PDB file of all heavy atoms in Angstrom:
ATOM      1  N   SER A   1     124.378   0.681 -27.152  1.00 98.00           N
ATOM      2  CA  SER A   1     125.225   1.787 -27.505  1.00 98.00           C
ATOM      3  C   SER A   1     124.355   3.003 -27.614  1.00 98.00           C
ATOM      4  O   SER A   1     123.145   2.848 -27.866  1.00 98.00           O
ATOM      5  CB  SER A   1     125.979   1.518 -28.826  1.00 98.00           C
ATOM      6  OG  SER A   1     125.129   1.124 -29.837  1.00 98.00           O
ATOM      7  N   PHE A   2     125.036   4.219 -27.558  1.00 98.00           N
ATOM      8  CA  PHE A   2     124.195   5.406 -27.529  1.00 98.00           C
ATOM      9  C   PHE A   2     124.778   6.451 -28.515  1.00 98.00           C
ATOM     10  O   PHE A   2     125.987   6.568 -28.620  1.00 98.00           O
ATOM     11  CB  PHE A   2     124.209   6.095 -26.124  1.00 98.00           C
ATOM     12  CG  PHE A   2     123.873   5.070 -25.014  1.00 98.00           C
ATOM     13  CD1 PHE A   2     124.646   4.877 -23.993  1.00 98.00           C
ATOM     14  CD2 PHE A   2     122.557   4.503 -25.056  1.00 98.00           C
ATOM     15  CE1 PHE A   2     124.285   3.973 -22.930  1.00 98.00           C
ATOM     16  CE2 PHE A   2     122.234   3.609 -24.051  1.00 98.00           C
ATOM     17  CZ  PHE A   2     123.074   3.360 -22.923  1.00 98.00           C
ATOM     18  N   GLU A   3     123.909   7.154 -29.129  1.00 97.00           N
ATOM     19  CA  GLU A   3     124.367   8.221 -30.066  1.00 97.00           C
ATOM     20  C   GLU A   3     124.006   9.633 -29.426  1.00 97.00           C
ATOM     21  O   GLU A   3     122.918   9.848 -28.889  1.00 97.00           O
ATOM     22  CB  GLU A   3     123.560   8.207 -31.380  1.00 97.00           C
ATOM     23  CG  GLU A   3     124.038   9.303 -32.347  1.00 97.00           C
ATOM     24  CD  GLU A   3     123.297   9.285 -33.707  1.00 97.00           C
ATOM     25  OE1 GLU A   3     123.549   8.369 -34.405  1.00 97.00           O
ATOM     26  OE2 GLU A   3     122.344  10.131 -33.873  1.00 97.00           O
ATOM     27  N   PHE A   4     125.042  10.470 -29.511  1.00 96.00           N
ATOM     28  CA  PHE A   4     124.882  11.900 -28.967  1.00 96.00           C
ATOM     29  C   PHE A   4     125.229  12.864 -30.189  1.00 96.00           C
ATOM     30  O   PHE A   4     125.832  12.367 -31.131  1.00 96.00           O
ATOM     31  CB  PHE A   4     125.784  12.135 -27.862  1.00 96.00           C
ATOM     32  CG  PHE A   4     125.687  11.157 -26.700  1.00 96.00           C
ATOM     33  CD1 PHE A   4     126.492  10.171 -26.414  1.00 96.00           C
ATOM     34  CD2 PHE A   4     124.581  11.400 -25.753  1.00 96.00           C
ATOM     35  CE1 PHE A   4     126.312   9.273 -25.306  1.00 96.00           C
ATOM     36  CE2 PHE A   4     124.336  10.554 -24.693  1.00 96.00           C
ATOM     37  CZ  PHE A   4     125.271   9.535 -24.444  1.00 96.00           C
ATOM     38  N   PHE A   5     124.905  14.066 -30.039  1.00 93.00           N
ATOM     39  CA  PHE A   5     125.286  15.090 -30.930  1.00 93.00           C
ATOM     40  C   PHE A   5     126.082  16.154 -30.281  1.00 93.00           C
ATOM     41  O   PHE A   5     125.805  16.412 -29.078  1.00 93.00           O
ATOM     42  CB  PHE A   5     124.084  15.590 -31.819  1.00 93.00           C
ATOM     43  CG  PHE A   5     123.098  16.388 -30.957  1.00 93.00           C
ATOM     44  CD1 PHE A   5     123.214  17.684 -30.633  1.00 93.00           C
ATOM     45  CD2 PHE A   5     121.977  15.735 -30.532  1.00 93.00           C
ATOM     46  CE1 PHE A   5     122.275  18.390 -29.929  1.00 93.00           C
ATOM     47  CE2 PHE A   5     120.924  16.348 -29.870  1.00 93.00           C
ATOM     48  CZ  PHE A   5     121.171  17.736 -29.489  1.00 93.00           C
ATOM     49  N   PRO A   6     127.062  16.768 -30.923  1.00 92.00           N
ATOM     50  CA  PRO A   6     127.864  17.810 -30.333  1.00 92.00           C
ATOM     51  C   PRO A   6     127.091  19.100 -29.917  1.00 92.00           C
ATOM     52  O   PRO A   6     126.195  19.518 -30.656  1.00 92.00           O
ATOM     53  CB  PRO A   6     129.027  18.148 -31.310  1.00 92.00           C
ATOM     54  CG  PRO A   6     128.344  17.762 -32.587  1.00 92.00           C
ATOM     55  CD  PRO A   6     127.462  16.572 -32.345  1.00 92.00           C
ATOM     56  N   PRO A   7     127.326  19.623 -28.731  1.00 91.00           N
ATOM     57  CA  PRO A   7     126.489  20.784 -28.359  1.00 91.00           C
ATOM     58  C   PRO A   7     126.882  22.119 -29.023  1.00 91.00           C
ATOM     59  O   PRO A   7     128.041  22.313 -29.387  1.00 91.00           O
ATOM     60  CB  PRO A   7     126.818  20.873 -26.856  1.00 91.00           C
ATOM     61  CG  PRO A   7     128.249  20.293 -26.733  1.00 91.00           C
ATOM     62  CD  PRO A   7     128.274  19.242 -27.738  1.00 91.00           C
ATOM     63  N   LYS A   8     125.946  22.939 -29.182  1.00 89.00           N
ATOM     64  CA  LYS A   8     126.160  24.239 -29.824  1.00 89.00           C
ATOM     65  C   LYS A   8     126.241  25.352 -28.853  1.00 89.00           C
ATOM     66  O   LYS A   8     126.794  26.419 -29.110  1.00 89.00           O
ATOM     67  CB  LYS A   8     125.018  24.557 -30.846  1.00 89.00           C
ATOM     68  CG  LYS A   8     124.914  23.626 -31.971  1.00 89.00           C
ATOM     69  CD  LYS A   8     123.740  24.077 -32.861  1.00 89.00           C
ATOM     70  CE  LYS A   8     123.613  23.134 -34.049  1.00 89.00           C
ATOM     71  NZ  LYS A   8     122.447  23.525 -34.930  1.00 89.00           N
ATOM     72  N   THR A   9     125.718  25.230 -27.651  1.00 92.00           N
ATOM     73  CA  THR A   9     125.738  26.226 -26.641  1.00 92.00           C
ATOM     74  C   THR A   9     126.218  25.616 -25.239  1.00 92.00           C
ATOM     75  O   THR A   9     126.280  24.455 -25.148  1.00 92.00           O
ATOM     76  CB  THR A   9     124.341  26.807 -26.430  1.00 92.00           C
ATOM     77  OG1 THR A   9     123.433  25.750 -25.860  1.00 92.00           O
ATOM     78  CG2 THR A   9     123.668  27.284 -27.716  1.00 92.00           C
ATOM     79  N   GLU A  10     126.378  26.537 -24.354  1.00 92.00           N
ATOM     80  CA  GLU A  10     126.921  26.096 -22.996  1.00 92.00           C
ATOM     81  C   GLU A  10     125.766  25.239 -22.324  1.00 92.00           C
ATOM     82  O   GLU A  10     125.997  24.295 -21.608  1.00 92.00           O
ATOM     83  CB  GLU A  10     127.189  27.366 -22.154  1.00 92.00           C
ATOM     84  CG  GLU A  10     127.808  26.988 -20.762  1.00 92.00           C
ATOM     85  CD  GLU A  10     128.171  28.187 -19.924  1.00 92.00           C
ATOM     86  OE1 GLU A  10     128.370  29.234 -20.525  1.00 92.00           O
ATOM     87  OE2 GLU A  10     128.333  28.093 -18.723  1.00 92.00           O
ATOM     88  N   GLU A  11     124.507  25.701 -22.423  1.00 95.00           N
ATOM     89  CA  GLU A  11     123.416  24.926 -21.855  1.00 95.00           C
ATOM     90  C   GLU A  11     123.237  23.537 -22.463  1.00 95.00           C
ATOM     91  O   GLU A  11     123.085  22.541 -21.788  1.00 95.00           O
ATOM     92  CB  GLU A  11     122.165  25.762 -22.094  1.00 95.00           C
ATOM     93  CG  GLU A  11     120.973  25.201 -21.263  1.00 95.00           C
ATOM     94  CD  GLU A  11     121.197  25.253 -19.735  1.00 95.00           C
ATOM     95  OE1 GLU A  11     121.850  26.159 -19.378  1.00 95.00           O
ATOM     96  OE2 GLU A  11     120.642  24.375 -19.018  1.00 95.00           O
ATOM     97  N   MET A  12     123.484  23.479 -23.784  1.00 94.00           N
ATOM     98  CA  MET A  12     123.411  22.219 -24.430  1.00 94.00           C
ATOM     99  C   MET A  12     124.499  21.274 -24.063  1.00 94.00           C
ATOM    100  O   MET A  12     124.386  20.062 -23.889  1.00 94.00           O
ATOM    101  CB  MET A  12     123.373  22.339 -25.948  1.00 94.00           C
ATOM    102  CG  MET A  12     122.064  22.967 -26.523  1.00 94.00           C
ATOM    103  SD  MET A  12     122.301  23.362 -28.320  1.00 94.00           S
ATOM    104  CE  MET A  12     122.205  21.730 -29.018  1.00 94.00           C
ATOM    105  N   GLU A  13     125.661  21.846 -23.787  1.00 94.00           N
ATOM    106  CA  GLU A  13     126.869  21.106 -23.342  1.00 94.00           C
ATOM    107  C   GLU A  13     126.556  20.547 -21.896  1.00 94.00           C
ATOM    108  O   GLU A  13     126.876  19.387 -21.642  1.00 94.00           O
ATOM    109  CB  GLU A  13     128.092  21.983 -23.227  1.00 94.00           C
ATOM    110  CG  GLU A  13     129.285  21.235 -22.857  1.00 94.00           C
ATOM    111  CD  GLU A  13     130.577  21.741 -23.409  1.00 94.00           C
ATOM    112  OE1 GLU A  13     130.470  22.423 -24.421  1.00 94.00           O
ATOM    113  OE2 GLU A  13     131.718  21.359 -22.978  1.00 94.00           O
ATOM    114  N   LYS A  14     125.885  21.285 -21.069  1.00 96.00           N
ATOM    115  CA  LYS A  14     125.559  20.803 -19.762  1.00 96.00           C
ATOM    116  C   LYS A  14     124.578  19.537 -19.821  1.00 96.00           C
ATOM    117  O   LYS A  14     124.806  18.483 -19.196  1.00 96.00           O
ATOM    118  CB  LYS A  14     124.948  21.862 -18.868  1.00 96.00           C
ATOM    119  CG  LYS A  14     125.877  22.905 -18.456  1.00 96.00           C
ATOM    120  CD  LYS A  14     125.156  24.048 -17.622  1.00 96.00           C
ATOM    121  CE  LYS A  14     126.133  25.088 -17.209  1.00 96.00           C
ATOM    122  NZ  LYS A  14     125.428  26.239 -16.418  1.00 96.00           N
ATOM    123  N   THR A  15     123.651  19.746 -20.775  1.00 96.00           N
ATOM    124  CA  THR A  15     122.627  18.608 -20.929  1.00 96.00           C
ATOM    125  C   THR A  15     123.388  17.346 -21.602  1.00 96.00           C
ATOM    126  O   THR A  15     123.111  16.287 -21.020  1.00 96.00           O
ATOM    127  CB  THR A  15     121.491  19.101 -21.933  1.00 96.00           C
ATOM    128  OG1 THR A  15     120.828  20.217 -21.433  1.00 96.00           O
ATOM    129  CG2 THR A  15     120.556  17.950 -22.187  1.00 96.00           C
ATOM    130  N   LEU A  16     124.233  17.626 -22.473  1.00 96.00           N
ATOM    131  CA  LEU A  16     124.931  16.477 -23.022  1.00 96.00           C
ATOM    132  C   LEU A  16     125.733  15.707 -22.089  1.00 96.00           C
ATOM    133  O   LEU A  16     125.672  14.477 -21.817  1.00 96.00           O
ATOM    134  CB  LEU A  16     125.960  16.953 -24.082  1.00 96.00           C
ATOM    135  CG  LEU A  16     126.985  15.902 -24.620  1.00 96.00           C
ATOM    136  CD1 LEU A  16     126.326  14.715 -25.329  1.00 96.00           C
ATOM    137  CD2 LEU A  16     127.962  16.611 -25.622  1.00 96.00           C
ATOM    138  N   TRP A  17     126.623  16.461 -21.210  1.00 97.00           N
ATOM    139  CA  TRP A  17     127.422  15.782 -20.287  1.00 97.00           C
ATOM    140  C   TRP A  17     126.680  15.218 -19.084  1.00 97.00           C
ATOM    141  O   TRP A  17     127.066  14.158 -18.534  1.00 97.00           O
ATOM    142  CB  TRP A  17     128.560  16.660 -19.860  1.00 97.00           C
ATOM    143  CG  TRP A  17     129.541  16.728 -20.928  1.00 97.00           C
ATOM    144  CD1 TRP A  17     129.722  17.640 -21.968  1.00 97.00           C
ATOM    145  CD2 TRP A  17     130.563  15.818 -21.272  1.00 97.00           C
ATOM    146  NE1 TRP A  17     130.687  17.279 -22.831  1.00 97.00           N
ATOM    147  CE2 TRP A  17     131.273  16.114 -22.456  1.00 97.00           C
ATOM    148  CE3 TRP A  17     130.960  14.662 -20.664  1.00 97.00           C
ATOM    149  CZ2 TRP A  17     132.296  15.412 -22.953  1.00 97.00           C
ATOM    150  CZ3 TRP A  17     132.023  13.873 -21.176  1.00 97.00           C
ATOM    151  CH2 TRP A  17     132.580  14.324 -22.345  1.00 97.00           C
ATOM    152  N   SER A  18     125.600  15.790 -18.809  1.00 97.00           N
ATOM    153  CA  SER A  18     124.705  15.152 -17.705  1.00 97.00           C
ATOM    154  C   SER A  18     124.217  13.815 -18.234  1.00 97.00           C
ATOM    155  O   SER A  18     124.106  12.856 -17.551  1.00 97.00           O
ATOM    156  CB  SER A  18     123.484  16.069 -17.417  1.00 97.00           C
ATOM    157  OG  SER A  18     122.667  15.448 -16.544  1.00 97.00           O
ATOM    158  N   SER A  19     123.806  13.741 -19.564  1.00 97.00           N
ATOM    159  CA  SER A  19     123.261  12.509 -20.131  1.00 97.00           C
ATOM    160  C   SER A  19     124.403  11.476 -20.259  1.00 97.00           C
ATOM    161  O   SER A  19     124.159  10.268 -19.934  1.00 97.00           O
ATOM    162  CB  SER A  19     122.713  12.802 -21.503  1.00 97.00           C
ATOM    163  OG  SER A  19     121.561  13.667 -21.429  1.00 97.00           O
ATOM    164  N   ILE A  20     125.554  11.893 -20.631  1.00 97.00           N
ATOM    165  CA  ILE A  20     126.677  10.981 -20.769  1.00 97.00           C
ATOM    166  C   ILE A  20     126.993  10.348 -19.424  1.00 97.00           C
ATOM    167  O   ILE A  20     127.171   9.203 -19.303  1.00 97.00           O
ATOM    168  CB  ILE A  20     127.872  11.710 -21.370  1.00 97.00           C
ATOM    169  CG1 ILE A  20     127.686  12.012 -22.871  1.00 97.00           C
ATOM    170  CG2 ILE A  20     129.151  10.756 -21.190  1.00 97.00           C
ATOM    171  CD1 ILE A  20     128.853  12.792 -23.494  1.00 97.00           C
ATOM    172  N   HIS A  21     127.048  11.236 -18.408  1.00 96.00           N
ATOM    173  CA  HIS A  21     127.342  10.727 -17.152  1.00 96.00           C
ATOM    174  C   HIS A  21     126.268   9.807 -16.528  1.00 96.00           C
ATOM    175  O   HIS A  21     126.639   8.832 -15.848  1.00 96.00           O
ATOM    176  CB  HIS A  21     127.687  11.928 -16.098  1.00 96.00           C
ATOM    177  CG  HIS A  21     128.241  11.480 -14.848  1.00 96.00           C
ATOM    178  ND1 HIS A  21     129.402  10.786 -14.787  1.00 96.00           N
ATOM    179  CD2 HIS A  21     127.863  11.704 -13.623  1.00 96.00           C
ATOM    180  CE1 HIS A  21     129.690  10.537 -13.509  1.00 96.00           C
ATOM    181  NE2 HIS A  21     128.698  11.079 -12.784  1.00 96.00           N
ATOM    182  N   ARG A  22     125.077  10.139 -16.896  1.00 96.00           N
ATOM    183  CA  ARG A  22     123.892   9.227 -16.406  1.00 96.00           C
ATOM    184  C   ARG A  22     124.032   7.899 -17.072  1.00 96.00           C
ATOM    185  O   ARG A  22     123.689   6.827 -16.386  1.00 96.00           O
ATOM    186  CB  ARG A  22     122.602   9.923 -16.868  1.00 96.00           C
ATOM    187  CG  ARG A  22     121.344   9.114 -16.642  1.00 96.00           C
ATOM    188  CD  ARG A  22     120.919   9.187 -15.224  1.00 96.00           C
ATOM    189  NE  ARG A  22     119.556   8.650 -15.109  1.00 96.00           N
ATOM    190  CZ  ARG A  22     119.124   8.006 -13.994  1.00 96.00           C
ATOM    191  NH1 ARG A  22     119.914   7.812 -12.975  1.00 96.00           N
ATOM    192  NH2 ARG A  22     117.816   7.623 -13.920  1.00 96.00           N
ATOM    193  N   LEU A  23     124.335   7.803 -18.411  1.00 97.00           N
ATOM    194  CA  LEU A  23     124.337   6.571 -19.124  1.00 97.00           C
ATOM    195  C   LEU A  23     125.697   5.767 -19.028  1.00 97.00           C
ATOM    196  O   LEU A  23     125.636   4.476 -19.232  1.00 97.00           O
ATOM    197  CB  LEU A  23     123.952   6.845 -20.581  1.00 97.00           C
ATOM    198  CG  LEU A  23     122.600   7.378 -20.778  1.00 97.00           C
ATOM    199  CD1 LEU A  23     122.370   7.830 -22.278  1.00 97.00           C
ATOM    200  CD2 LEU A  23     121.456   6.381 -20.403  1.00 97.00           C
ATOM    201  N   ALA A  24     126.756   6.447 -18.740  1.00 97.00           N
ATOM    202  CA  ALA A  24     128.046   5.752 -18.758  1.00 97.00           C
ATOM    203  C   ALA A  24     128.140   4.539 -17.816  1.00 97.00           C
ATOM    204  O   ALA A  24     128.743   3.508 -18.145  1.00 97.00           O
ATOM    205  CB  ALA A  24     129.193   6.778 -18.408  1.00 97.00           C
ATOM    206  N   PRO A  25     127.544   4.596 -16.584  1.00 96.00           N
ATOM    207  CA  PRO A  25     127.643   3.494 -15.663  1.00 96.00           C
ATOM    208  C   PRO A  25     126.931   2.172 -16.232  1.00 96.00           C
ATOM    209  O   PRO A  25     127.153   1.013 -15.647  1.00 96.00           O
ATOM    210  CB  PRO A  25     126.981   3.948 -14.454  1.00 96.00           C
ATOM    211  CG  PRO A  25     127.030   5.409 -14.515  1.00 96.00           C
ATOM    212  CD  PRO A  25     126.928   5.674 -15.907  1.00 96.00           C
ATOM    213  N   LEU A  26     126.237   2.289 -17.294  1.00 96.00           N
ATOM    214  CA  LEU A  26     125.505   1.079 -17.906  1.00 96.00           C
ATOM    215  C   LEU A  26     126.511   0.291 -18.801  1.00 96.00           C
ATOM    216  O   LEU A  26     126.179  -0.711 -19.495  1.00 96.00           O
ATOM    217  CB  LEU A  26     124.333   1.449 -18.634  1.00 96.00           C
ATOM    218  CG  LEU A  26     123.198   2.166 -17.849  1.00 96.00           C
ATOM    219  CD1 LEU A  26     122.048   2.560 -18.752  1.00 96.00           C
ATOM    220  CD2 LEU A  26     122.766   1.295 -16.701  1.00 96.00           C
ATOM    221  N   SER A  27     127.796   0.838 -19.034  1.00 95.00           N
ATOM    222  CA  SER A  27     128.824   0.167 -19.697  1.00 95.00           C
ATOM    223  C   SER A  27     128.497  -0.108 -21.148  1.00 95.00           C
ATOM    224  O   SER A  27     128.341  -1.348 -21.612  1.00 95.00           O
ATOM    225  CB  SER A  27     129.312  -1.103 -19.022  1.00 95.00           C
ATOM    226  OG  SER A  27     129.772  -0.834 -17.732  1.00 95.00           O
ATOM    227  N   PRO A  28     128.000   0.879 -21.932  1.00 97.00           N
ATOM    228  CA  PRO A  28     127.651   0.691 -23.318  1.00 97.00           C
ATOM    229  C   PRO A  28     128.891   0.133 -24.100  1.00 97.00           C
ATOM    230  O   PRO A  28     130.061   0.367 -23.819  1.00 97.00           O
ATOM    231  CB  PRO A  28     127.201   2.060 -23.825  1.00 97.00           C
ATOM    232  CG  PRO A  28     127.982   3.038 -22.948  1.00 97.00           C
ATOM    233  CD  PRO A  28     128.018   2.388 -21.594  1.00 97.00           C
ATOM    234  N   SER A  29     128.528  -0.580 -25.205  1.00 97.00           N
ATOM    235  CA  SER A  29     129.534  -1.067 -26.142  1.00 97.00           C
ATOM    236  C   SER A  29     130.402   0.111 -26.641  1.00 97.00           C
ATOM    237  O   SER A  29     131.646  -0.010 -26.744  1.00 97.00           O
ATOM    238  CB  SER A  29     128.999  -1.905 -27.221  1.00 97.00           C
ATOM    239  OG  SER A  29     128.279  -2.946 -26.707  1.00 97.00           O
ATOM    240  N   PHE A  30     129.690   1.181 -26.997  1.00 97.00           N
ATOM    241  CA  PHE A  30     130.315   2.367 -27.544  1.00 97.00           C
ATOM    242  C   PHE A  30     129.363   3.445 -27.453  1.00 97.00           C
ATOM    243  O   PHE A  30     128.139   3.295 -27.295  1.00 97.00           O
ATOM    244  CB  PHE A  30     130.898   2.215 -28.932  1.00 97.00           C
ATOM    245  CG  PHE A  30     129.819   1.971 -29.993  1.00 97.00           C
ATOM    246  CD1 PHE A  30     129.169   2.911 -30.656  1.00 97.00           C
ATOM    247  CD2 PHE A  30     129.453   0.642 -30.326  1.00 97.00           C
ATOM    248  CE1 PHE A  30     128.321   2.779 -31.662  1.00 97.00           C
ATOM    249  CE2 PHE A  30     128.493   0.411 -31.257  1.00 97.00           C
ATOM    250  CZ  PHE A  30     127.943   1.492 -31.957  1.00 97.00           C
ATOM    251  N   VAL A  31     129.775   4.755 -27.644  1.00 98.00           N
ATOM    252  CA  VAL A  31     128.878   5.978 -27.710  1.00 98.00           C
ATOM    253  C   VAL A  31     129.426   6.669 -28.977  1.00 98.00           C
ATOM    254  O   VAL A  31     130.621   6.850 -29.219  1.00 98.00           O
ATOM    255  CB  VAL A  31     129.007   6.902 -26.543  1.00 98.00           C
ATOM    256  CG1 VAL A  31     128.407   6.112 -25.300  1.00 98.00           C
ATOM    257  CG2 VAL A  31     130.387   7.380 -26.220  1.00 98.00           C
ATOM    258  N   SER A  32     128.437   7.003 -29.856  1.00 97.00           N
ATOM    259  CA  SER A  32     128.784   7.769 -31.033  1.00 97.00           C
ATOM    260  C   SER A  32     128.517   9.230 -30.948  1.00 97.00           C
ATOM    261  O   SER A  32     127.559   9.574 -30.267  1.00 97.00           O
ATOM    262  CB  SER A  32     128.122   7.045 -32.283  1.00 97.00           C
ATOM    263  OG  SER A  32     126.790   7.306 -32.235  1.00 97.00           O
ATOM    264  N   VAL A  33     129.281   9.988 -31.755  1.00 95.00           N
ATOM    265  CA  VAL A  33     128.953  11.451 -31.714  1.00 95.00           C
ATOM    266  C   VAL A  33     128.897  11.919 -33.161  1.00 95.00           C
ATOM    267  O   VAL A  33     129.663  11.636 -33.980  1.00 95.00           O
ATOM    268  CB  VAL A  33     130.189  12.187 -31.109  1.00 95.00           C
ATOM    269  CG1 VAL A  33     129.914  13.747 -31.071  1.00 95.00           C
ATOM    270  CG2 VAL A  33     130.390  11.752 -29.643  1.00 95.00           C
ATOM    271  N   THR A  34     127.726  12.566 -33.483  1.00 93.00           N
ATOM    272  CA  THR A  34     127.398  12.836 -34.918  1.00 93.00           C
ATOM    273  C   THR A  34     128.246  13.987 -35.366  1.00 93.00           C
ATOM    274  O   THR A  34     129.019  14.690 -34.624  1.00 93.00           O
ATOM    275  CB  THR A  34     125.884  13.290 -34.953  1.00 93.00           C
ATOM    276  OG1 THR A  34     125.634  14.403 -34.236  1.00 93.00           O
ATOM    277  CG2 THR A  34     125.100  12.131 -34.522  1.00 93.00           C
TER     278      THR A  34
END
């Protein structure tokens, strides 16, 4: 499972969603958001 934190800027949002999309195909049990 993976933990992420909510983005504060547009650039951080791009990084977050790039990471989510990269890791999603590994079928984690869950992903948490702080």
Side-chain angles (χ1 to χ4, degrees):
S1 53
F2 308 123
E3 179 182 289
F4 302 104
F5 61 84
K8 296 180 181 179
T9 66
E10 183 176 344
E11 190 62 32
M12 290 173 70
E13 181 148 344
K14 291 179 180 178
T15 299
L16 167 65
W17 283 94
S18 175
S19 296
I20 289 175
H21 192 55
R22 172 78 165 151
L23 296 171
L26 299 179
S27 299
S29 301
F30 63 90
V31 295
S32 66
V33 182
T34 63

